[in-house]
């Protein structure tokens, strides 16, 4: 698919494609043409030109999402291109904007917004090298520190110290870049480039370090907080966090696995849970909540009823919900507003079919994404599922990996899915009849890939043919056996893997020591 370009954009491409000429001529370019030239340079991956455009940026703001998004001159959205050449040129250009000795009254830039950059799986840039969220966090922190050292050592124009630019960014901190980011945030007041954290993700970080750095991010401005893998945050720590720090603008909260475990609850724990619910109730902007792989049996009401704003996104996958939990969700005021819902890991047909049906009917007018992985949905349940999904006419994404469905049942379901007008993405399971007879669900990781691959390919072709015959080439159907693409995990998987091996080794050593003592 080719996107139409205006004559202005074609001219801009011609201008920036001659690197030497473009760099020499920038001083003669009208200020209002800089955004046009920036997008053209980004499309052509003209790193040196991008650097010089940013270094001499004549406008008050620099918003990556708007600059790379659809424009009248070129409709294609480039904000999902996290091209390493382009992004590094942007950030080094920003540093050199501060250091450039041209007269300070020319420097109008006050806000740089990097939050519009989207990390996606497939990249179209020529260099094929991406700069993800972790690497952007790392580079910006490094540039801020280098800038401070340079300003302290060099003879700079006095006007340089008066420059103050807020750089809005989604930070991603792990053990490996913690020190660098912490130093940059600590010295924020002295640096002309001021890191303003809009969203914060923490993976693989000691709890003490997490508590320290989160206070440095200015939590009063934080919109999104993700505490994900290998941050050992338990319920009492979460209560401490909410008691010591206020998050008035927080819209989205993701908690790590096993934050809650009601199986070992005491009366004190019940009170802690109630306190957490009340604190979340004070977050009047909170509309997205993810707390997968916690054990929350019978406690959903206690946690969610204090919320004053309806949730638009709820992930309670693998949370051992019971009938009371599902009934509460179906009858709560959240139900009418849920745009994204993940109930994976619950035996829905067996435990609460009517409550689930009611929940879907309440959110059907707004629901865009539904995930029902490992929910024991079998061939006999397909008609019920179709009945539940029929009112969900705005559904864009449906994921149901890990359910014991036959090829025939999948074909029946796909025939129905073609009728959902907004549907764009379907993740379906390997059919049960592709696995050896007697396979048990949920399938363990060791057996996951032991299926008849040729038979699966034939079924996948049949399913795509159903979409094709219904003129639904716009729907992408796939079977990501080990979960959907996660840009953050993909970028830091080496560090994550090393951490897991280290943890396993330590556990093994403790076990050996204990065993030797017993002997």
């Amino acid at each position: 698919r080719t996107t139409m370009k205006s004559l202005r954009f074609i001219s801009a491409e011609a201008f920036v494609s001659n690197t030497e000429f473009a760099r020499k001529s920038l001083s003669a370019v009208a200020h209002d043409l800089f955004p046009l030239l920036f997008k053209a340079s980004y499309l052509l991956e003209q790193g040196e030109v991008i650097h010089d455009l940013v270094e001499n940026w004549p406008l008050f703001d620099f918003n990556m999402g708007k600059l790379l998004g659809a424009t009248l001159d070129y409709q294609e959205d480039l904000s999902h291109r996290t091209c390493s050449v382009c992004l590094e040129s942007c950030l080094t250009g920003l540093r050199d904007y501060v250091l450039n000795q041209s007269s300070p009254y020319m420097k109008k830039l006050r806000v740089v917004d990097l939050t519009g950059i989207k990390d996606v799986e497939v990249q179209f840039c020529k260099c094929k090298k991406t700069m993800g969220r972790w690497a952007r966090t790392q580079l910006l922190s490094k540039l801020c520190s280098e800038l401070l050292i340079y300003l302290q050592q060099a003879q700079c124009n006095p006007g340089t110290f008066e420059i103050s630019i807020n750089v809005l960014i989604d930070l991603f901190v792990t053990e490996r870049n913690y020190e660098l980011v912490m130093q940059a945030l600590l010295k924020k007041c002295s640096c002309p480039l001021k890191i303003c954290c809009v969203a914060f993700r923490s993976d693989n970080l000691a709890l003490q370090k997490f508590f320290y750095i989160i206070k440095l991010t200015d939590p009063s401005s934080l919109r999104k907080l993700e505490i994900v893998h290998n941050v050992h945050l338990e319920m009492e720590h979460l209560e401490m966090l909410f008691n010591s720090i206020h998050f008035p603008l927080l819209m989205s909260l993701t908690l790590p696995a096993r934050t809650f475990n009601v199986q070992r609850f005491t009366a004190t724990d019940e009170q802690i849970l109630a306190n957490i619910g009340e604190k979340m109730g004070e977050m009047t902007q909170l509309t997205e909540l993810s707390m997968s792989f916690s054990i929350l049996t019978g406690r959903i009401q206690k946690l969610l009823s204090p919320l004053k704003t309806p949730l638009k996104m709820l992930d309670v996958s693998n949370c051992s919900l019971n009938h009371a939990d599902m009934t509460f969700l179906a009858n709560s005021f959240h139900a009418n507003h849920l745009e994204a819902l993940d109930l994976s890991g619950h035996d829905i047909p067996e435990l609460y079919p009517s409550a689930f049906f009611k929940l879907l009917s309440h959110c059907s007018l707004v629901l865009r994404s539904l995930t029902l992985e490992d929910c024991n949905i079998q061939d006999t349940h397909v008609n019920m599922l179709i009945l539940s999904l029929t009112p969900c006419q705005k559904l864009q994404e449906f994921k149901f990996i890990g359910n014991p469905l036959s090829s025939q049942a999948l074909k029946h379901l796909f025939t129905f899915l073609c009728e959902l007008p907004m549907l764009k993405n379907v993740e379906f399971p390997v059919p049960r009849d592709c696995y050896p007879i007697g396979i048990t669900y949920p399938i363990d990781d060791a057996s996951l890939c032991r299926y008849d691959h040729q038979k699966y390919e034939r079924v996948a072709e049949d399913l795509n043919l159903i979409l094709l015959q219904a003129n639904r080439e716009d729907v992408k159907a796939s079977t990501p056996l080990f979960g959907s693409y996660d840009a953050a995990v993909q970028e830091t998987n080496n560090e994550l893997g090393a951490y897991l091996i280290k943890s396993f080794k330590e556990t093994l050593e403790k076990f050996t020591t204990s065993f030797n003592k017993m002997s």
Side-chain angles (χ1 to χ4, degrees), residues 249-285:
L249 298 181
L250 197 69
M251 299 167 76
S252 179
L253 175 64
T254 299
L255 298 172
R258 295 181 290 281
T259 301
F260 304 99
N261 183 359
V262 305
Q263 288 178 331
R264 49 183 176 79
F265 260 30
T266 62
T268 309
D269 292 326
E270 295 288 1
Q271 190 52 54
I272 291 172
L273 189 74
N275 292 347
I276 289 169
E278 283 173 23
K279 287 292 177 187
M280 290 201 304
E282 291 169 15
M283 299 173 191
T284 55
Q285 306 289 312

Side-chain angles (χ1 to χ4, degrees), residues 120-139:
V120 295
E121 187 171 4
V122 181
Q123 284 294 330
F124 293 102
C125 61
K126 290 194 292 284
C127 76
K128 298 291 178 212
K129 190 164 180 268
T130 62
M131 184 184 283
R133 182 174 168 184
W134 188 91
R136 297 194 293 272
T137 300
Q138 168 95 344
L139 182 58

Side-chain angles (χ1 to χ4, degrees), residues 84-250:
S84 187
V85 169
C86 297
L87 289 172
E88 188 168 343
S89 301
C90 279
L91 292 173
T92 53
L94 189 57
R95 174 201 61 198
D96 296 338
Y97 175 93
V98 174
L99 296 175
N100 192 327
Q101 295 289 334
S102 62
S103 31
Y105 70 84
M106 290 294 287
K107 296 186 185 291
K108 296 178 182 176
L109 189 58
R110 292 291 172 266
V111 179
V112 171
D113 190 341
L114 304 174
T115 61
I117 302 166
K118 304 178 191 85
D119 295 290
V120 295
E121 187 171 4
V122 181
Q123 284 294 330
F124 293 102
C125 61
K126 290 194 292 284
C127 76
K128 298 291 178 212
K129 190 164 180 268
T130 62
M131 184 184 283
R133 182 174 168 184
W134 188 91
R136 297 194 293 272
T137 300
Q138 168 95 344
L139 182 58
L140 180 62
S141 303
K142 182 169 170 277
L143 293 175
C144 286
S145 299
E146 286 174 0
L147 197 53
L148 269 175
I149 292 166
Y150 184 84
L151 291 177
Q152 284 159 4
Q153 292 173 350
Q155 290 293 309
C156 290
N157 188 322
T160 305
F161 295 96
E162 290 167 25
I163 296 169
S164 177
I165 302 166
N166 288 333
V167 185
L168 277 58
I169 186 171
D170 298 338
L171 291 181
F172 182 9
V173 179
T174 65
E175 194 72 45
R176 202 152 51 98
N177 67 356
Y178 168 81
E179 201 64 38
L180 195 61
V181 183
M182 185 262 290
Q183 289 297 333
L185 290 171
L186 213 49
K187 295 168 183 170
K188 177 178 166 178
C189 294
S190 320
C191 188
L193 297 179
K194 303 192 181 303
I195 295 176
C196 298
C197 180
V198 177
F200 183 89
R201 177 174 173 131
S202 173
D203 279 18
N204 190 30
L205 194 64
L207 204 53
Q208 197 176 356
K209 290 179 177 178
F210 166 73
F211 267 86
Y212 184 66
I213 201 164
I214 197 71
K215 287 176 182 175
L216 297 179
T217 61
D218 184 13
S220 64
S221 305
L222 209 58
R223 300 293 176 95
K224 187 172 186 174
L225 175 60
E226 296 170 280
I227 314 161
V228 197
H229 307 288
N230 297 328
V231 181
H232 297 301
L233 184 92
E234 294 186 6
M235 194 174 63
E236 52 271 31
H237 307 129
L238 186 61
E239 186 192 30
M240 279 168 55
L241 179 71
F242 287 167
N243 282 340
S244 58
I245 300 173
H246 292 286
F247 299 96
L249 298 181
L250 197 69

Side-chain angles (χ1 to χ4, degrees), residues 246-461:
H246 292 286
F247 299 96
L249 298 181
L250 197 69
M251 299 167 76
S252 179
L253 175 64
T254 299
L255 298 172
R258 295 181 290 281
T259 301
F260 304 99
N261 183 359
V262 305
Q263 288 178 331
R264 49 183 176 79
F265 260 30
T266 62
T268 309
D269 292 326
E270 295 288 1
Q271 190 52 54
I272 291 172
L273 189 74
N275 292 347
I276 289 169
E278 283 173 23
K279 287 292 177 187
M280 290 201 304
E282 291 169 15
M283 299 173 191
T284 55
Q285 306 289 312
L286 189 67
T287 57
E288 297 182 358
L289 182 60
S290 176
M291 39 191 185
S292 57
F293 290 94
S294 276
I295 299 174
L296 280 163
T297 317
R299 303 305 195 288
I300 285 289
Q301 183 166 0
K302 184 174 272 190
L303 203 53
L304 299 189
S305 58
L307 269 60
K308 296 173 185 70
T309 309
L311 291 171
K312 290 181 179 177
M313 189 282 275
L314 178 63
D315 179 354
V316 281
S317 55
N318 301 283
C319 284
S320 304
L321 303 189
N322 63 13
H323 191 272
D325 295 316
M326 193 59 79
T327 304
F328 166 76
L329 284 178
N331 294 319
S332 71
F333 79 126
H334 302 292
N336 296 315
H337 299 86
L338 285 170
E339 295 175 16
L341 178 63
D342 191 340
L343 295 170
S344 299
H346 295 101
D347 190 343
I348 290 170
E350 187 66 35
L351 295 175
Y352 22 65
S354 56
F356 170 72
F357 187 84
K358 189 176 183 181
L359 175 58
L360 272 204
S361 69
H362 283 169
C363 61
S364 61
L365 292 177
V366 291
L367 191 67
R368 289 184 294 106
S369 174
L370 178 64
T371 308
L372 302 174
E373 296 177 359
D374 298 310
C375 284
N376 196 28
I377 298 167
Q378 300 178 31
D379 290 17
T380 51
H381 308 129
V382 168
N383 286 334
M384 183 204 82
L385 183 63
I386 289 172
L387 206 58
S388 304
L389 291 174
T390 300
C392 304
Q393 294 292 298
K394 289 191 177 168
L395 197 67
Q396 295 174 18
E397 181 174 68
F398 181 40
K399 302 178 181 180
F400 58 109
I401 297 276
N403 288 292
L405 291 163
S406 69
S407 311
Q408 213 50 47
L410 285 172
K411 289 172 189 175
H412 179 35
L413 187 53
F414 263 65
T415 304
F416 158 74
L417 292 174
C418 292
E419 296 169 20
L420 295 176
M422 311 288 279
L423 196 66
K424 290 281 175 282
N425 186 34
V426 177
E427 293 184 4
F428 65 95
V430 173
R432 185 172 194 152
D433 42 296
C434 290
Y435 282 105
I437 294 165
I439 188 96
T440 54
Y441 284 77
I443 301 170
D444 57 65
D445 285 354
S447 308
L448 209 52
C449 294
R450 292 180 188 158
Y451 60 88
D452 185 332
H453 288 254
Q454 284 183 323
K455 186 173 181 182
Y456 165 77
E457 290 300 336
R458 288 197 300 272
V459 175
E461 277 177 30

